[in-house]
């Protein structure tokens, strides 16, 4: 393959998530214009906001070739925990601070077990998921909680310029995440750790402490997702978030170009992946797919994305080998 063609192919692979989004949008517009009408597109992006925030957290963990299976249930626990504190009269700022501290602490505990006890991330976060499920039910002793907080309503439900404020709030989180991953030592170390852990350690990166920090940041994004969820849905139950949201987030990260083998992925890609997942979910609903079957289709989407990720990884390796 000639150098210009090889470079074009590499660039196409880099823009694969965006190309997929454009193709799907055009396809659904041809099948049923209702799916991608103006108002529908705004709703698709709004529905993608919690997926995007949790997908960024998933991206950061996946960059290190790890995984956080507790993130979805963590959203439910954090949402119920904060809602219970607000219902008890603690006040919104303090309730949010407690929720953030709790999720960062849980993330740090996960990271410590993975880094120092050498227990695989899959097993560690699966155990955390089960524990958080029990904790969520314990905290939700009052059952359904209805929050009447003007600030939460403004962020999650109200609109500005005809667009949900949740989109603007998510845009701020995305910009901060871009700065975190592109402009800070944390981001550079995370990519280095995922690309080659041994080389990262030889370069002086404290692998164990950085692993703990990675899972702590994942916990922070779990908190941000929970905060957005309770602002969008003021009726808080233990069913908020959960495995379905985790499936969406992982699918978004992988569809967005994040490699499960570590070292490759972008915040922008994860956000585009979240919009793709939201678009597919909306399309399936318009097509009349039973809501109980949505997770089946999402699981199939993840499988396809994983196969595509494996193929793109091999192709990029071959292209790099030819370039040398």
């Amino acid at each position: 393959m000639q150098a210009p063609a090889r470079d074009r192919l590499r660039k196409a692979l880099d823009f694969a998530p965006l190309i997929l989004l454009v193709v799907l949008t055009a396809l659904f517009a041809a099948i049923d214009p209702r799916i991608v009408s103006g108002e529908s597109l705004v709703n698709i992006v709004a529905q993608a906001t919690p997926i995007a925030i949790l997908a960024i957290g998933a991206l950061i963990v996946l960059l290190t070739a790890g995984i956080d299976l507790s993130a979805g249930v963590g959203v439910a626990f954090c949402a119920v925990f904060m809602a219970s504190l607000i219902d008890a009269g603690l006040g919104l700022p303090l309730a949010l601070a407690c929720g953030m501290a709790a999720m960062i602490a849980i993330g740090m505990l996960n990271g410590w077990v993975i880094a120092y006890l050498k227990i695989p991330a899959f097993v560690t976060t699966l155990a955390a998921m089960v524990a958080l499920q029990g904790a969520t039910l314990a905290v939700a002793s009052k059952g359904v909680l209805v929050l009447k907080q003007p600030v939460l309503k403004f962020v999650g439900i109200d609109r500005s310029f005809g667009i949900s404020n949740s989109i603007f709030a998510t845009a701020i989180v995305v910009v901060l995440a871009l700065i975190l991953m592109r402009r800070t030592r944390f981001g550079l170390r995370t990519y280095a750790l995922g690309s080659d852990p041994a080389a990262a350690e030889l370069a002086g990166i404290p692998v164990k402490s950085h692993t703990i920090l990675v899972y702590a940041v994942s916990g922070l994004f779990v908190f941000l997702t929970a905060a957005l969820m309770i602002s969008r849905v003021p009726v808080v139950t233990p069913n908020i978030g959960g495995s379905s949201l985790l499936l969406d987030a992982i699918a978004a990260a992988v569809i967005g170009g994040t490699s499960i083998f570590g070292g490759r992925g972008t915040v922008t890609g994860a956000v585009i992946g979240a919009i793709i997942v939201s678009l597919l979910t909306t399309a399936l609903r318009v097509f009349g797919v039973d809501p109980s079957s949505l997770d089946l289709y999402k699981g199939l989407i993840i499988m396809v994305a994983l196969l595509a990720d494996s193929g793109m990884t091999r192709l990029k390796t071959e292209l790099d080998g030819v370039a040398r």
Side-chain angles (χ1 to χ4, degrees), residues 80-250:
V80 170
F81 177 56
M82 292 189 296
S84 298
L85 293 177
I86 294 170
D87 185 66
L90 193 61
L92 180 61
L94 194 52
L96 292 175
C98 289
M100 180 174 65
M103 299 321 299
I104 291 176
I106 291 169
M108 291 179 68
L109 179 59
N110 283 337
W112 183 85
V113 171
I114 293 165
Y116 284 92
L117 300 186
K118 303 297 183 182
I119 298 177
F122 181 89
V123 177
T124 299
T125 58
L126 181 62
M129 180 186 74
V130 174
L132 284 170
Q133 282 179 329
T136 302
L137 294 175
V139 172
S141 57
K142 290 186 177 181
V144 177
L145 293 172
V146 180
L147 301 180
K148 297 180 180 179
Q149 293 285 330
V151 174
L152 292 178
K153 180 177 178 295
F154 174 77
V155 172
I157 299 175
D158 290 349
R159 292 190 167 210
S160 298
F161 312 106
I163 298 174
S164 172
N165 288 340
S166 63
I167 296 176
F168 295 114
T170 302
I172 294 172
V173 173
V174 170
V175 170
L176 293 175
L178 284 168
I179 295 171
L180 175 69
M181 299 309 295
R182 291 183 178 180
R183 303 293 182 185
T184 69
R185 186 167 57 181
F186 171 83
L188 296 175
R189 285 182 169 182
T190 301
Y191 279 102
L193 181 59
S195 299
D196 191 335
E201 192 164 15
L202 288 174
I205 295 175
V207 173
K208 291 181 178 179
S209 61
H210 190 75
T211 299
I212 294 173
L213 185 57
V214 163
Y215 282 87
V217 172
S218 174
L220 174 62
F221 279 93
V222 169
F223 155 73
L224 291 172
T225 306
L228 185 64
M229 291 288 283
I230 64 174
S231 69
R232 284 170 49 84
V233 185
V235 179
V236 182
T237 71
N239 296 323
I240 193 170
S243 59
S244 180
L245 182 59
L246 176 64
L247 273 176
D248 287 347
I250 293 177

